[in-house]
């Protein structure tokens, strides 16, 4: 789960790190009032849980409260990089002398937390890593050792942090490290970490990503999930306990096991089709789960055909067939054609159930490739018809 | 012959009294695995499927001579269970549980490394040496003994591929599901090293997916250290960046984890990357130097 900039900055502020004064608002009038209260030049920034907002036109500067209102009017309700903008942050604009980069994240390859510092702040850190790797300092911290003083000295010296600010930098690094652990973060990032004209360090932007698997011990953070930012279908599926991801095509995909579902998406694309979603019913799914999946996926207006691809290991094919029939009975038929491919545990029983029921719009395929091809054909003819 | 688990494996089931633990204990016993004990704190003295249950791993190990453990404990308690198994000195610890916080796993993985424990998972289906031992939730009946070692980040995709291999008359030495999380105890390179040393393994199938750089590291390792033929498959090749595809580890983030990078690295190491599941079987058959049932038909 990604916190927005304003949420991240609230966490920083609570931890004692300086951030610019600002207010989150959701109307032009409130933006104008906030800018008037701040009484300076302000930045109006869209609050969506994704980076690259500046490049996408999501950040505007305003010299007067009227300009702030105008900026908010242009941004609120706009769609930026796929996210609908509900809120903007109106924030005191800072005069910046230099910009740094600081983060703590998990290095998957080394299986350790890593601190990253760079004097090339305000840029995409991956660009910096590619073009000027010498400007990035990295320090891996053994979790059983924790962050030690010498770690700080190494990181800041290697990264070329100005010596007169080393005490301030050390405070930022320590606090970020502590927040990383306390909030089960995958990433805590300040970019840019600015040195202002009067020589202080301020977090001008902030990004915190929380490990979804750890939300059970952070009820306060879970409540911050901005439901508006999600796709409504994804929200609906999550509420029903389904692993669903909305994609941009027209063939609904349901399968068991993440790897199998991904391979099904690939097979559909290879046959020239475009998947509308990813949906994993998981291992050992009962009929009810299958039924829920078959209510969510065809509920997407983009979907022209559904492909249900199941390999029965622990999952029983007869349970899957039963779930499919229950969904169709409950919905009074199927609005789009469904292709079913059942292999493995109890496949004969599963196919027999479907055969006996003989539901209109439901057909079986024997292999992975055949199922993908059939779904693509059906989506095409259904789309045209 | 096989790697990691065989007839000599003496297994404890942590979380044996839970629904999943009890169900899979029965299936592992049925397959012939030596399940010698179970552990559920507070349930010591009872039995599940005729297997004695203990309160602690230490006690279970002393009483049964167990050398391995499989964990079905819920996510909030699984890291503790794994650390208990590691501290009790078990050689192999397999975590089936899905949804364990990453920072918990960082500690568990670091500790397993220090103690020399072979940790597999989490969020994995376990492993099987066909005809010898099943330590996991894999459907035993699709596997057949033979010369192919398989290592995979995905469970059902493994079953799918093995089903086709078995149908084509190609059996397996050991199949290892390493798990779909970003931080896992055993990675492709660890398993490849074992297969390279295992006389019973003559070819290897590697099933990767988007996210992380394990496939790239495997490619580098194969190039330098593996003499046996390897065939690969990468799933999620058409997945868009930034979307987590079910597995917590299956996400293209920034410039890391793209399928192009994985496919290129593997091909540069002379590892053919199959475009479809069916093609895996054909490529393996060719490398074993014998026509498969499917290609004869």
């Amino acid at each position: 789960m990604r916190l927005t900039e304003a949420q991240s900055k609230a966490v920083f502020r609570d931890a004692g790190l300086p951030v610019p004064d600002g207010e989150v608002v959701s109307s032009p009038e409130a933006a104008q009032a906030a800018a008037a209260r701040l009484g300076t030049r302000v930045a109006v920034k869209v609050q969506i849980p994704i980076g690259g907002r500046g490049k996408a036109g999501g950040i505007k500067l305003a010299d007067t409260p009227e300009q702030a209102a105008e900026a908010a009017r242009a941004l609120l309700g706009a769609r930026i990089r796929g996210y609908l903008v509900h809120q903007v942050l109106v924030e005191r604009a800072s005069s910046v002398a230099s910009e740094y980069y600081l983060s703590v994240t998990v290095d998957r390859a080394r299986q350790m937390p890593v601190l990253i510092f760079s004097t090339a702040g305000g840029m995409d850190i991956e660009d910096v890593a590619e073009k000027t790797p010498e400007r990035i300092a990295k320090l891996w911290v053994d979790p059983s050792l924790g962050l030690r003083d010498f770690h700080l000295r190494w990181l800041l010296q290697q990264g070329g942090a100005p010596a007169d600010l080393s005490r301030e930098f050390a405070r930022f690094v320590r606090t970020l490290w502590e927040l990383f652990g306390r909030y089960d973060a995958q990433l805590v990032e300040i970019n840019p970490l600015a040195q202002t004209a009067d020589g202080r360090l301020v977090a001008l932007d902030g990004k915190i990503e929380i490990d979804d698997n750890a939300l059970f011990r952070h009820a306060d953070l879970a409540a911050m999930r901005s439901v508006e930012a999600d796709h409504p279908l994804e929200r609906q599926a999550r509420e029903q306990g389904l692993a669903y991801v909305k994609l941009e095509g027209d063939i609904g995909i349901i399968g068991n096991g993440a790897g199998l579902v991904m391979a099904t998406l690939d097979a559909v694309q290879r046959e020239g089709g475009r998947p509308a979603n990813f949906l994993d019913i998981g291992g050992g799914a009962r009929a009810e789960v299958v039924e829920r999946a078959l209510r969510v996926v065809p509920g997407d207006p983009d979907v022209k055909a559904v492909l249900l691809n199941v390999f029965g290991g622990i999952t029983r094919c007869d349970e899957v067939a039963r779930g499919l029939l229950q969904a169709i009975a409950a919905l009074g038929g199927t609005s789009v054609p469904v292709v079913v491919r059942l292999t493995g545990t109890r496949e004969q029983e599963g196919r027999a159930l479907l055969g006996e029921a003989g539901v209109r719009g439901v057909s079986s395929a024997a292999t992975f490739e055949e199922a993908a091809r059939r779904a693509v054909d059906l989506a095409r003819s259904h789309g045209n018809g | 012959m096989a790697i990691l688990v065989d007839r000599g494996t003496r297994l404890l089931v942590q979380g044996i009294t839970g629904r999943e633990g009890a169900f899979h204990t029965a299936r592992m016993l049925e397959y012939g695995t030596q399940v010698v004990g179970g552990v559920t704190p507070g349930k010591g003295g009872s039995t599940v499927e005729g297997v004695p249950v203990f309160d602690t791993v230490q006690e279970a190990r002393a009483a049964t001579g167990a050398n391995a453990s499989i964990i079905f404990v819920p996510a909030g308690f699984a890291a503790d269970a794994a650390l208990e198994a590691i501290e009790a000195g078990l050689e192999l610890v397999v975590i089936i549980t899905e949804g364990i916080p990453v920072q918990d796993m960082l500690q568990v993985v670091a500790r397993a490394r220090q103690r020399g424990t072979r940790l597999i998972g989490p969020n994995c289906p376990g492993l099987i040496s066909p005809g010898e031992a099943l330590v996991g939730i894999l459907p035993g009946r699709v596997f057949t003994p033979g010369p192919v070692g398989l290592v995979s980040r995905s469970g059902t995709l493994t079953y799918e591929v093995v089903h086709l291999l078995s149908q084509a008359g190609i059996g397996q030495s050991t199949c290892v599901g390493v798990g779909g999380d970003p931080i896992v105890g055993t990675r492709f390179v660890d398993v490849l090293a074992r297969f390279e040393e295992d006389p019973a393994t003559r070819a290897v199938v590697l099933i990767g997916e988007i996210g992380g750089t394990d496939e790239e590291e495997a490619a580098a390792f194969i190039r330098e250290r593996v003499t046996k033929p390897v065939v690969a498959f990468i799933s999620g090749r058409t997945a868009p960046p930034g979307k987590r595809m079910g597995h917590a580890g299956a996400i293209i983030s920034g410039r890391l984890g793209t399928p192009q990078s994985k496919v290129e690295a593997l091909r540069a190491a002379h590892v053919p990357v199959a475009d479809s599941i069916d093609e895996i079987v054909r490529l393996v058959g060719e490398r074993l130097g014998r026509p498969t049932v499917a290609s004869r038909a």
Side-chain angles (χ1 to χ4, degrees):
Chain A
M1 172 182 143
R2 293 174 180 158
L3 303 192
T4 62
E5 174 194 8
Q7 289 169 335
S8 303
K9 282 178 168 168
V11 171
F12 293 160
R13 190 184 294 118
D14 287 347
L17 295 181
V19 298
D21 294 334
E23 279 178 51
V24 175
V25 298
S26 45
S27 73
E29 296 73 31
Q32 182 165 353
R37 269 194 293 277
L38 289 166
T40 58
R41 187 171 200 230
V42 296
V44 181
K45 306 161 92 174
V46 297
Q47 295 304 294
I48 53 175
I50 197 162
R53 290 172 303 163
K55 274 185 216 155
I59 298 177
K60 292 179 188 293
L61 289 168
D63 286 315
T64 64
E66 291 70 31
Q67 282 181 9
E70 202 178 301
R73 197 168 291 120
L75 294 172
L76 289 164
R79 202 168 264 283
I80 295 200
R81 300 192 59 194
Y83 286 86
L84 191 59
V85 179
H86 290 268
Q87 292 181 323
V88 292
L89 172 64
V90 179
E91 188 177 75
R92 189 188 299 280
S94 307
S95 61
V96 175
S98 29
E99 296 186 320
Y100 303 92
Y101 174 95
L102 181 63
S103 72
V104 188
T105 186
V106 176
D107 184 332
R108 277 176 75 159
R110 294 211 193 187
Q111 303 192 313
M112 272 200 246
V114 60
L115 295 165
I116 305 174
F117 175 81
S118 174
T119 50
M123 299 198 265
D124 180 354
I125 195 68
E126 285 167 328
D127 281 335
V128 180
E130 219 163 75
K131 288 169 199 148
T132 50
E134 70 282 358
R135 293 192 69 187
I136 293 185
K138 286 187 178 184
L139 186 83
W140 289 268
V141 181
D142 181 336
S144 65
L145 214 56
L147 182 70
R148 304 286 167 144
D149 287 344
F150 76 85
H151 284 133
L152 294 168
R153 292 195 295 271
W154 282 9
L155 179 73
L156 296 174
Q157 188 201 45
Q158 190 199 339
D164 56 325
L165 281 172
S166 60
R167 198 182 285 258
E168 262 302 271
F169 273 119
R171 188 160 76 92
F172 269 87
V173 178
R174 270 202 184 292
T175 307
L176 250 54
W177 171 258
E178 200 223 315
L179 293 173
F180 178 77
R182 192 199 306 165
Y183 287 116
D184 272 296
Q186 311 262 60
L187 171 72
V188 183
E189 181 187 79
I190 301 178
N191 186 27
L193 169 56
Q195 183 182 355
T196 55
D198 57 356
R200 295 173 310 117
L201 289 181
V202 180
L204 283 198
D205 198 354
K207 200 189 273 179
I208 299 180
E209 253 181 79
I210 309 293
D211 179 0
D212 284 336
N213 286 346
L215 283 176
F216 71 90
R217 49 191 179 207
H218 302 285
D220 50 331
L221 293 177
M224 286 185 177
R225 191 188 276 281
S226 85
V227 286
E228 300 90 351
D230 290 340
H231 193 283
L233 281 166
E234 289 187 347
R235 189 167 70 238
Q236 188 195 345
R238 188 173 55 234
E239 283 163 4
Q240 303 217 21
L242 297 169
Y244 173 94
V245 180
K246 175 78 179 109
L247 300 170
E248 287 174 350
D250 57 7
I251 300 174
I253 312 281
I254 304 170
N256 64 326
L260 181 74
V261 180
M262 274 189 270
T264 309
L265 303 181
D266 295 346
V268 162
Q269 296 230 27
R270 205 167 42 244
E271 295 296 334
R274 294 177 68 225
N277 68 275
F278 167 106
L279 197 164
D280 174 13
I281 57 172
R286 305 301 302 254
E288 292 66 39
V289 179
V290 179
E291 185 186 338
R292 266 182 278 158
L294 276 152
R295 282 158 168 269
V296 168
V297 170
D300 175 356
D302 295 340
V303 167
K304 305 276 193 295
V306 173
L307 169 50
L308 175 60
N309 188 12
V310 169
F311 186 89
I314 314 159
T315 309
R316 289 167 32 175
C317 291
D318 55 341
E319 278 287 321
V320 174
R322 213 165 278 130
L324 170 65
L325 294 174
Q326 281 172 17
I328 287 170
L331 297 167
T334 170
S335 53
V336 295
V338 180
V339 180
V340 189
R341 181 259 184 176
L342 299 172
T343 309
T345 309
R346 292 183 165 250
E347 66 176 68
Q348 305 299 345
E349 290 86 339
R351 286 189 193 157
L353 276 173
L354 293 182
E356 280 161 25
V359 185
R360 236 183 111 236
V362 177
S363 60
S364 288
T367 68
F368 216 103
E369 308 300 320
E370 186 193 328
R373 205 172 310 132
R374 173 94 53 85
V376 173
D377 288 345
L378 286 169
R380 240 171 234 153
S381 50
H382 190 78
N384 296 337
Chain B
M1 273 296 287
I3 66 164
L4 298 164
V5 295
D6 55 28
R7 288 194 182 87
T9 301
R10 294 177 64 78
L11 186 69
L12 294 180
V13 178
Q14 290 177 256
I16 192 169
T17 54
R19 197 169 62 97
E20 295 286 304
F23 176 73
H24 290 289
T25 296
R27 291 166 47 106
M28 289 188 285
L29 285 166
E30 191 185 292
Y31 196 77
T33 309
Q34 288 194 71
V35 182
V36 296
V39 178
T40 300
K43 298 272 175 72
S46 59
T47 60
V48 171
E49 302 288 332
V51 173
V53 180
F54 301 87
D55 287 319
T56 66
V57 175
Q58 206 172 27
E59 183 193 6
R61 185 187 178 215
T64 64
N67 57 8
S69 158
I70 183 166
I71 295 174
F72 290 97
V73 172
F77 310 94
D80 186 66
L83 288 169
E84 185 186 0
I86 293 166
E87 296 306 298
L90 297 178
E91 294 158 27
L92 175 75
V93 176
V94 180
I95 312 177
I96 304 298
T97 309
E98 179 178 356
I100 303 177
V102 164
Q103 295 202 12
D104 291 3
M105 280 316 301
L106 288 175
Q107 287 189 327
V108 174
V109 165
R111 191 61 185 160
R113 204 175 289 133
Q114 279 167 10
R115 300 269 301 182
T117 309
R118 170 56 50 205
L119 179 75
I120 297 180
N123 189 15
C124 81
L127 65 167
I128 182 171
S129 296
E132 300 212 22
L134 162 64
V135 176
I137 61 173
L138 307 99
R141 96 202 124 62
V142 305
F143 297 81
T144 48
V148 174
L150 183 146
V151 61
S152 170
R153 278 167 70 184
S154 151
T156 38
L157 205 48
T158 297
Y159 317 155
E160 183 87 45
V161 171
V162 166
H163 181 66
L164 292 176
L165 284 171
S166 293
Q167 274 186 342
I170 302 174
Q172 306 87 39
S173 54
T174 301
C175 300
V176 185
V178 296
D181 273 7
I183 302 294
V184 291
T186 291
R187 293 186 279 181
F188 286 143
V189 290
D190 306 308
V191 181
L192 287 167
R194 299 286 189 111
F195 280 141
E196 176 66 13
E197 286 164 13
D198 174 35
T201 301
R202 288 177 42 223
V204 179
V205 175
L206 183 153
I207 302 175
E209 63 191 28
I210 53 164
T213 53
D214 275 15
E215 291 77 5
E216 287 86 339
E217 280 150 37
F221 183 83
I222 291 166
R223 185 178 228 171
E224 283 169 26
R225 308 266 297 276
V226 177
T227 58
K228 296 177 182 178
V230 181
V231 169
F233 180 79
I234 304 290
S235 67
R237 282 164 77 172
T238 57
K243 296 263 188 184
R244 169 175 148 168
M245 290 305 194
H247 282 161
I251 180 165
I252 300 171
S253 37
R255 264 153 247 185
L256 285 181
T258 66
Q260 294 78 8
S261 148
K262 294 172 190 303
V263 171
E264 277 165 25
L266 287 161
R267 290 198 171 138
H270 307 293
V271 174
V273 182
D275 282 324
S276 69
I277 310 273
D278 294 336
E279 201 189 346
I280 300 174
V281 181
R282 184 176 63 74
L283 290 168
V284 173
E286 282 170 13
R287 267 139 198 91
L288 288 172
R290 63 177 192 201
T292 62
V293 173
S295 62
R296 256 185 265 137

